Amino acid sequence: MPLDLLASDLAADAGQVWKDMAEYPGYKRTIWRDQAKGHVRKHMPDARVECLPPGWDGKDGICFIRRK
């Protein structure tokens, strides 16, 4: 599952719209991604977050939630 899916759900629960947030540099999205990573650690101890390397344009690589 893409981490951004969980991050956008958490943002929506807080009344924020994911697609209205800037993709680059993506400061607000980074905050919600960090919240999602914390959520995974707390609520899915058997899962881990794996991220692809950043792209040539400096954008973060896509992160996925993987269950063991």
Side-chain angles (χ1 to χ4, degrees):
M1 168 177 154
L3 183 70
D4 281 3
L5 183 60
L6 176 59
S8 66
D9 287 346
L10 293 173
D13 288 345
Q16 297 191 23
V17 181
W18 183 260
K19 66 180 184 176
D20 289 348
M21 296 177 198
E23 286 187 40
Y24 184 80
Y27 177 74
K28 285 186 179 181
R29 286 188 177 197
T30 299
I31 292 171
W32 286 108
R33 286 180 181 123
D34 288 344
Q35 292 288 326
K37 288 175 185 176
H39 184 88
V40 169
R41 282 191 299 272
K42 183 176 180 180
H43 298 286
M44 298 180 228
D46 64 328
R48 65 184 186 276
V49 176
E50 295 178 351
C51 299
L52 298 174
W56 62 269
D57 55 1
K59 293 183 182 178
D60 290 335
I62 298 171
C63 295
F64 297 93
I65 300 168
R66 300 218 187 261
R67 292 198 175 241
K68 294 180 182 178

